[in-house]
Amino acid sequence: MTPHPFSSGSAPDPTYAEHFRRHQQATTGALLVPLLFCFSAVQAQPAELEAVEVIGVTPTHGVGVAPSRLPYPVQQADGAALRDTGALGVGDQLDRQFGSISRNDAQNNPLQPDIQFRGFTASPLLGLPQGLSVYQNSVRINEAFGDTVNWDLIPDTAIRSINLISGANPLFGLNTLGGAISVETKTGFSHPGHAVEISGGSFGRVRSSVESGANNGRFGYFATLEHFDEDGWRDASPSEAIRAFASLGFRPSAESAFDLNLQYADTDLIGNGAVPIELLAQDRDAIFTAPDNTRNTLAFVDLQGSHQWSAALRVSGNVFYRDNDSEAFNGDGSEFEECEEAGGPEGFLCEEDDDKPIEDQNGQRIAEAGPGGERNAINNRSLREQRSFGGSLQMDWIADIGGLGHHLIAGAAYHAGLVDFHSNVEVAGLTPERSTRGTGLFVPEEGTAVTSSTRTWSLYVSDTIALSARMDLTLSGRFNQVEVELKDRGGTDAAGLTQPTPRLNGKHQFSRFNPAAGLRYRFAEDLSSYLGYSESTRAPTAIELACAEPDAPCNLPNSFLADPPLEQVVARNIETGLEGVWTLEDQQGRVQWGLGAFATHNDDDILFQSTGGVQSNEGFFDNVGDTRRMGLEARLDGQHPITRWYLRYSYVRAQFVDPFTVNSPNNPRADDDGQLAVADGDRIPGIPQHTLKLGADWTIARVFDLGVGIRYASGVHLRGDEANVLPETDGFATINLRAAYRPTRQLEVFARIENLLDAEYETFGLLGEADEIPGFEDFEDNRFLGPGQPLAAFVGLRWTL
């Protein structure tokens, strides 16, 4: 059998690099493909598995099977693509150029996007059902408390590549319901050199970075420091981010490699969210209530290594520690009302529909007004101290067994997440600008002090078998065991004092073996097809388990009041597709193409059901039954000596399968109990059915680059309208232009224009109660929309050495 060329010090085989590019955006299609597989399996003769170049798209960094043999599509972009497009991080780049990706601007902060892939979400917001796993190198970076993803913490200039792996691939562990995103970072061996970049423009935005990398063949380093600052295009919406990354590499021999990665981030973000549709019509820059501030502070250490024991056997692994403190401050309309409206004593504040006055931290009843004026608002404060640590060990082995070539991957992983969560609710008043002023009066019963621990043990295996020279069979599976433990220390006041009334204590266990199987068949060198089936799971997170009782709703992300059990979500995915390459007659250009279909069925999907709140942020988590995402995908990539272009189209139908009753008290079509009947086939809110992305780049005289990118997305249903009884948002299209001039090899001058036609559009919507806020008593429309960024222009310089 041909030995596997694993040498860590060798450059990638260009043949397999080309295979990777060919299949980086492959999608699924053709209903006849399953029959072709069956016919080919009967006719195929056993053959050895030829040597492949390893591509890092599996859980342990740097180990995997060439995508030309995988039974699912993989999309990719490198760090240069982020720089060329001017994307603000991984999430923004996914939205600009990747197929089946859409974006919800729920926070209206450029560093806090909600990213949807095939109708599954990766978002920084608590309360959303997360369905994508995200890896940085070999570490899963979904946060410990709610599986959220803080895109703002990943430094742009440290990114080597972004891989998007489709389907419910069990190898990537928990939360891989719709796919997995794998981010690889630079090293001194992959990116030697030095660069400084600065840019600025609209919204007072200034971006700057410095990076440096080098190696002497044995030792290497890479380091980067970057700063982002802007005033924001919405009123009172400034943000700042500082991010640093360093990699220290050691290559003691051609067979061994070790990398120590160090990362720090400090971000201070204002995201003032959706606004009433009637206010949006008056002023698209306006905010509703303010502020909505999130501060993240990250320290992250990851040590990874590998050793080539023989030509056929490689062992790799990692250990990591990640510490992220998230502070949130949200000023909002009050959840309390005048007691006399519920038949209570006049002049005091009560819970809604309750005649008993609320009490402050001193046990005194809180009056509805004070020296500062009316107490018609609240300040929600929270602190999440999230610490995670763990490691993995993986074997990669090529062998000839029973006359067939096998590429076997087997591994074990452990991941622990420990969280201390504190929150309090302060009674406040609204200013004329709809920001809040504090009173120093806190409601201990509305506060929370809870610790949680999540521990996950996993065993996984994958075997790619060469059934013939044309056909590969991949069998894989992963066993996960998850323990989630909650300990309640009672409510908190401003001083952090607790009430000894634990309500959330509980311990939960979830386990399952998730299988996958698939075939890849190559009809010719430039035409192949694949068919795959896979399963994956998502265990309920600590926040979902702590907020799952309809009779005791919580106010995200602050109060948790009950702890009934929830079922884990099980995703079953099937996809099939064709992909190939057309070579132009002059042999100087080529077009890569893909066409496909997929369907993913979720059992016991979890949904946050609103019970009220000014922006529907009070409620509980519930297993609402089964959901399904299915669709079609197509892609084209053209390449010519001076031109590169791409096209991505996707149709995604995300819908509920089991009828259920949803709580939506802010929906004008709800019944007297604030409920709506959701039917089989109703679409899941926030997910556009159609997305189209196309773009092109031209190089002129080797010193000028011109580029254009166009993005279209159809309308979406609003959150809170799961029954689809209200109109969708409008579809929209945006056009971005970019240009670069290189007067010398070291210097580049660039410019970008975003939303060239200044289109007014919205990517997101929800239902709320605008008339609960002073000054908006005459507003009758319950719809809130998240507006998209207007016309913007930026210029910058980049110097490299």
Side-chain angles (χ1 to χ4, degrees):
M1 176 178 166
T2 305
H4 196 315
F6 263 128
S7 176
S8 300
S10 63
D13 186 330
T15 301
Y16 292 102
E18 185 59 39
H19 278 261
F20 189 85
R21 287 192 297 272
R22 178 182 303 173
H23 301 292
Q24 67 178 0
Q25 305 254 349
T27 51
T28 53
L31 297 178
L32 292 177
V33 171
L35 296 177
L36 292 172
F37 274 125
C38 296
F39 176 79
S40 302
V42 173
Q43 300 295 323
Q45 298 297 318
E48 290 186 344
L49 185 69
E50 69 180 51
V52 297
E53 181 63 32
V54 173
I55 302 296
V57 296
T58 50
T60 297
H61 173 66
V63 178
V65 179
S68 59
R69 298 186 174 276
L70 297 175
Y72 46 81
V74 178
Q75 301 184 58
Q76 191 203 36
D78 59 18
L82 272 80
R83 186 175 68 247
D84 292 343
T85 62
L88 295 176
V90 175
D92 193 19
Q93 182 65 21
L94 290 169
D95 179 49
R96 289 173 186 247
Q97 290 191 336
F98 280 58
S100 294
I101 290 280
S102 60
R103 172 178 180 155
N104 285 172
D105 284 311
Q107 284 294 92
N108 259 178
N109 185 290
L111 300 184
Q112 293 178 294
D114 289 348
I115 296 300
Q116 325 272 346
F117 174 60
R118 292 184 172 181
F120 293 91
T121 301
S123 168
L125 296 182
L126 289 171
L128 295 183
Q130 309 286 335
L132 302 174
S133 61
V134 182
Y135 282 80
Q136 182 173 322
N137 297 325
S138 49
V139 179
R140 183 175 177 271
I141 60 172
N142 296 77
E143 298 292 353
F145 199 46
D147 278 337
T148 55
V149 180
N150 289 306
W151 304 108
D152 58 299
L153 299 180
I154 306 175
D156 305 347
T157 51
I159 295 173
R160 177 182 180 180
S161 66
I162 304 170
N163 299 291
L164 175 56
I165 300 93
S166 301
N169 193 322
L171 290 183
F172 288 87
L174 297 176
N175 229 54
T176 313
L177 305 183
I181 300 166
S182 174
V183 177
E184 297 183 19
T185 55
K186 300 174 181 176
T187 70
F189 296 92
S190 68
H191 284 76
H194 318 281
V196 176
E197 182 174 314
I198 186 168
S199 65
S202 299
F203 324 132
R205 181 180 298 172
V206 177
R207 299 173 68 185
S208 58
S209 66
V210 56
E211 59 183 284
S212 177
N215 75 85
N216 63 4
R218 186 176 178 86
F219 295 95
Y221 80 89
F222 177 84
T224 182
L225 175 66
E226 57 188 42
H227 180 252
F228 171 91
D229 184 75
E230 73 166 21
D231 298 329
W233 67 269
R234 300 279 300 280
D235 294 339
S237 300
S239 291
E240 183 177 15
I242 299 173
R243 300 176 290 205
F245 174 85
S247 175
L248 304 176
F250 178 44
R251 306 293 186 264
S253 67
E255 293 77 26
S256 300
F258 300 92
D259 291 289
L260 176 64
N261 300 315
L262 309 170
Q263 183 176 334
Y264 171 80
D266 185 355
T267 65
D268 188 353
L269 311 178
I270 299 289
N272 285 316
V275 297
I277 191 171
E278 291 160 291
L279 177 60
L280 192 64
Q282 300 172 10
D283 183 1
R284 294 189 64 84
D285 295 345
I287 60 175
F288 184 49
T289 59
D292 191 344
N293 176 236
T294 301
R295 293 201 60 177
N296 287 315
T297 306
L298 173 73
F300 183 12
V301 181
D302 173 31
L303 175 63
Q304 53 192 20
S306 65
H307 180 72
Q308 192 76 39
W309 290 98
S310 68
L313 178 63
R314 184 183 188 187
V315 176
S316 55
N318 81 302
V319 292
F320 72 92
Y321 176 80
R322 195 169 186 273
D323 188 329
N324 178 29
D325 293 343
S326 294
E327 299 178 58
F329 181 95
N330 172 240
D332 205 351
S334 181
E335 62 187 55
F336 308 116
E337 65 181 13
E338 298 174 4
C339 291
E340 58 186 310
E341 294 185 7
E346 184 178 350
F348 295 97
L349 292 175
C350 288
E351 296 277 3
E352 188 175 359
D353 299 325
D354 191 349
D355 61 1
K356 181 181 178 181
I358 58 174
E359 296 181 347
D360 63 20
Q361 65 269 32
N362 301 311
Q364 302 297 314
R365 295 190 297 181
I366 300 178
E368 63 185 54
E374 289 188 67
R375 294 167 177 168
N376 51 7
I378 56 174
N379 290 328
N380 295 309
R381 294 181 175 87
S382 68
L383 170 64
R384 281 172 277 164
E385 297 176 328
Q386 302 173 110
R387 300 175 300 283
S388 58
F389 54 88
S392 62
L393 183 65
Q394 180 170 296
M395 175 194 72
D396 194 276
W397 181 44
I398 290 180
D400 188 354
I401 303 173
L404 297 177
H406 292 253
H407 190 144
L408 181 69
I409 297 172
Y414 172 75
H415 189 288
L418 308 177
V419 179
D420 286 333
F421 181 89
H422 304 268
S423 73
N424 56 52
V425 175
E426 178 186 19
V427 175
L430 283 172
T431 69
E433 295 77 24
R434 296 185 302 283
S435 61
T436 58
R437 61 174 186 276
T439 63
L441 303 176
F442 293 81
V443 186
E445 290 184 357
E446 296 293 320
T448 302
V450 63
T451 62
S452 72
S453 64
T454 303
R455 293 177 171 86
T456 304
W457 295 264
S458 301
L459 296 173
Y460 58 90
V461 63
S462 177
D463 189 9
T464 298
I465 308 166
L467 299 179
S468 74
R470 293 177 178 268
M471 177 177 286
D472 296 314
L473 169 67
T474 299
L475 303 174
S476 58
R478 182 170 183 138
F479 176 79
N480 301 308
Q481 177 156 333
V482 185
E483 291 184 358
V484 183
E485 185 172 5
L486 297 166
K487 293 183 179 179
D488 187 357
R489 300 203 300 270
T492 63
D493 58 22
L497 301 176
T498 63
Q499 296 178 337
T501 56
R503 298 164 291 181
L504 301 178
N505 293 340
K507 190 172 184 179
H508 310 265
Q509 291 188 347
F510 307 91
S511 62
R512 194 175 193 273
F513 176 78
N514 295 311
L519 288 165
R520 166 78 70 163
Y521 185 77
R522 292 173 292 280
F523 300 99
E525 182 180 354
D526 57 0
L527 179 64
S528 67
S529 60
Y530 55 85
L531 171 68
Y533 173 81
S534 57
E535 296 182 7
S536 190
T537 51
R538 180 171 83 84
T541 64
I543 184 177
E544 291 168 334
L545 291 167
C547 180
E549 174 55 57
D551 294 331
C554 61
N555 185 356
L556 291 175
N558 302 293
S559 302
F560 310 124
L561 300 178
D563 187 19
L566 291 172
E567 299 295 329
Q568 64 180 331
V569 181
V570 179
R572 296 176 172 87
N573 176 73
I574 186 169
E575 52 189 300
T576 180
L578 286 169
E579 58 187 23
V581 178
W582 298 321
T583 302
L584 303 183
E585 291 184 2
D586 58 7
Q587 299 294 316
Q588 295 187 19
R590 55 191 290 148
V591 176
Q592 304 168 55
W593 60 272
L595 178 67
F598 69 89
T600 306
H601 188 99
N602 279 11
D603 292 342
D604 297 317
D605 219 344
I606 296 175
L607 177 71
F608 181 74
Q609 295 216 44
S610 172
T611 58
V614 174
Q615 296 196 47
S616 299
N617 60 340
E618 297 175 18
F620 61 96
F621 293 95
D622 188 24
N623 290 114
V624 297
D626 296 357
T627 61
R628 181 182 298 120
R629 284 87 168 162
M630 56 194 304
L632 302 172
E633 299 171 322
R635 63 94 176 170
L636 291 170
D637 289 275
Q639 194 171 316
H640 196 266
I642 64 169
T643 307
R644 301 174 306 280
W645 59 271
Y646 66 88
L647 182 148
R648 309 279 182 271
Y649 169 75
S650 65
Y651 168 80
V652 176
R653 175 79 183 188
Q655 61 190 48
F656 299 101
V657 175
D658 291 337
F660 69 100
T661 299
V662 66
N663 283 274
S664 187
N666 293 328
N667 193 312
R669 302 283 293 276
D671 63 20
D672 293 340
D673 296 323
Q675 296 183 330
L676 286 166
V678 178
D680 177 8
D682 285 341
R683 288 170 48 198
I684 300 173
I687 302 167
Q689 283 192 300
H690 303 275
T691 59
L692 176 66
K693 300 170 186 180
L694 55 102
D697 291 276
W698 297 269
T699 299
I700 304 171
R702 298 185 179 181
V703 296
F704 288 100
D705 288 334
L706 298 176
V708 60
I710 301 174
R711 180 183 58 138
Y712 167 79
S714 58
V716 300
H717 287 287
L718 279 59
R719 292 180 193 165
D721 186 30
E722 285 75 14
N724 302 171
V725 296
L726 301 177
E728 297 178 322
T729 62
D730 293 331
F732 67 90
T734 59
I735 302 174
N736 297 336
L737 300 180
R738 56 185 178 272
Y741 170 59
R742 294 177 296 278
T744 69
R745 285 188 175 183
Q746 291 77 32
L747 181 64
E748 178 181 298
V749 183
F750 57 86
R752 303 184 186 100
I753 299 177
E754 299 184 353
N755 193 3
L756 174 67
L757 303 181
D758 199 20
E760 296 185 352
Y761 66 96
E762 293 79 37
T763 63
F764 161 81
L766 54 78
L767 298 174
E769 296 178 298
D771 57 4
E772 291 293 314
I773 300 299
F776 296 100
E777 292 86 355
D778 295 334
F779 278 26
E780 298 179 351
D781 198 319
N782 285 21
R783 291 176 293 170
F784 285 59
L785 299 179
Q789 177 185 288
L791 171 68
F794 308 96
V795 297
L797 298 172
R798 179 177 175 83
W799 180 81
T800 59
L801 179 65

